[in-house]
Amino acid sequence: MKTAYEKLFKHFKFVDALEMKNRLAMGPILTYASRENGEISDIDLTFYEKRVGGVSTVIVGPAFITENGQVAHGQIGIHRDHVIRKLHQLTQMIHRRGAKAILQLSHGGRKCVEMKNKWQAISPSEKPHKRKGKKPVQMTERDITYMVQAFGEATTRAMEAGFDGVEIDGGNECLLQQFMSRQANERSDSYGGSAENRFTFALEVIREVTRRAAHAGKPFIVGYTLAPKEKGYLGNKVEDTFEWIDRLVHTEIDYLHISALHEPTLSSEENRSLVSSIIKHVNHRVPLVGTGGLTATEVAEAFEKGLALITIEQALVVQPDWVEKVINSDEPASMDVTSLDKDMSLPPEVLAHWQDMHKNDRPY
């Protein structure tokens, strides 16, 4: 192993919780391969089995917590008890490979308007996800209470499936981010308006999830995904993100996951500045997880900035044994997305999505 990468393979321990064998985590990946009822498929199992060797942590998901929270066909679900059995097979396999398993809990909110099913998309307000797009239904306070409970019930199912923790998806333009954003939240009640009010829903979800986690009977961590900033008019700026961080560090979350530390619209220098400013503001008050990039050099550079764990997604999709190659000083100098065509474990939908995402550098 090259000396520059040795620090990536040092142990990391969450306070009074789990010890990770290194600083590399497989980030959440939407495989588009799960069954219609949200149950993971054999394709999912094969996909993960080929890629979890070497990492300390596998963040599975995004997993939708209710039927109307699904953002894509083939997405993993944690919405009903019937999904637990197959998810338990997945966590057992991850544990056998020496890694910890965390499930990302997600609800797409207004992103679900294009899903062709019987469920009506919901959101803080009726504002559509895209200009001239379909309008979601504005959530009532009863809907909000139900959704908080749904996150809690999903947490309990994750425990029963053998996961070592959950990650609340508060980024990726999903429901929790929609509540925190003035672009989606036009409410005038206690869940809208001021920054404090827009944070209320996320705070209630965190309280319910951490309450359930406290009864796991074993170390069980809770993370929170946060978007660094938003584009466009009324979008949250970095200063708003700092305010969310200040509120989040006073909750019982075990780590904060910045969902996109590499903004495709920014220059390399602007990206470095964004990463540095967020890490500086966090100031070790809570372990920070972020994306490392495609190459080992990029991952090492991200770690040196002060991240606790580094997530790798595209690199593992393109090169399933990426970590082993880094350990053996055999990692590729660059990553070619065309090599995906040679991976027969990937269904056509996954190939098409990842080739498109790699080309446009965008999240799910």
Side-chain angles (χ1 to χ4, degrees), residues 178-194:
Q178 291 163 28
F179 266 90
M180 296 167 74
S181 173
R182 290 171 294 177
Q183 291 181 331
N185 188 342
E186 297 178 329
R187 303 176 72 96
S188 57
D189 60 4
S190 59
Y191 292 94
S194 68

Side-chain angles (χ1 to χ4, degrees), residues 70-73 111-119 134:
Q70 187 176 4
V71 296
H73 294 292
K111 286 179 69 176
C112 306
V113 291
E114 302 301 329
M115 290 294 294
K116 296 179 180 179
N117 55 34
K118 63 180 180 180
W119 307 106
K134 296 179 182 178

Side-chain angles (χ1 to χ4, degrees), residues 151-165:
F151 271 98
E153 290 169 6
T155 302
T156 298
R157 293 189 191 100
M159 294 177 192
E160 295 174 0
F163 284 93
D164 302 292

Side-chain angles (χ1 to χ4, degrees), residues 149-218:
Q149 291 299 312
F151 271 98
E153 290 169 6
T155 302
T156 298
R157 293 189 191 100
M159 294 177 192
E160 295 174 0
F163 284 93
D164 302 292
V166 293
E167 180 176 292
I168 303 167
D169 188 358
N172 300 300
E173 299 182 335
C174 288
L175 184 62
L176 274 83
Q177 182 179 343
Q178 291 163 28
F179 266 90
M180 296 167 74
S181 173
R182 290 171 294 177
Q183 291 181 331
N185 188 342
E186 297 178 329
R187 303 176 72 96
S188 57
D189 60 4
S190 59
Y191 292 94
S194 68
E196 182 178 4
N197 285 358
R198 285 182 280 122
F199 187 69
T200 301
F201 176 59
L203 185 60
E204 290 178 355
V205 169
I206 292 170
R207 285 172 177 165
E208 177 62 15
V209 170
T210 54
R211 183 185 71 83
R212 302 269 186 144
H215 295 89
K218 66 172 186 176

Side-chain angles (χ1 to χ4, degrees), residues 4 27 41 49 68 134 150 159 170 238 360:
S41 66
E49 188 168 20
N68 67 350
K134 296 179 182 178
M159 294 177 192
V238 176
N360 296 298

Side-chain angles (χ1 to χ4, degrees), residues 301-350:
E301 289 176 351
F303 176 70
E304 289 295 338
K305 292 180 180 294
L307 297 174
L309 291 177
I310 312 293
T311 62
I312 43 180
E313 294 94 19
Q314 291 190 50
L316 284 175
V317 172
V318 177
Q319 187 74 59
D321 56 352
W322 185 90
V323 178
E324 290 92 330
K325 285 183 176 295
V326 172
I327 293 173
N328 296 321
S329 299
D330 189 34
E331 79 283 357
S334 62
M335 302 293 282
D336 184 3
V337 74
T338 58
S339 64
L340 284 172
D341 294 328
K342 302 173 184 177
D343 188 348
M344 300 307 293
S345 72
L346 295 175
E349 294 83 1
V350 182

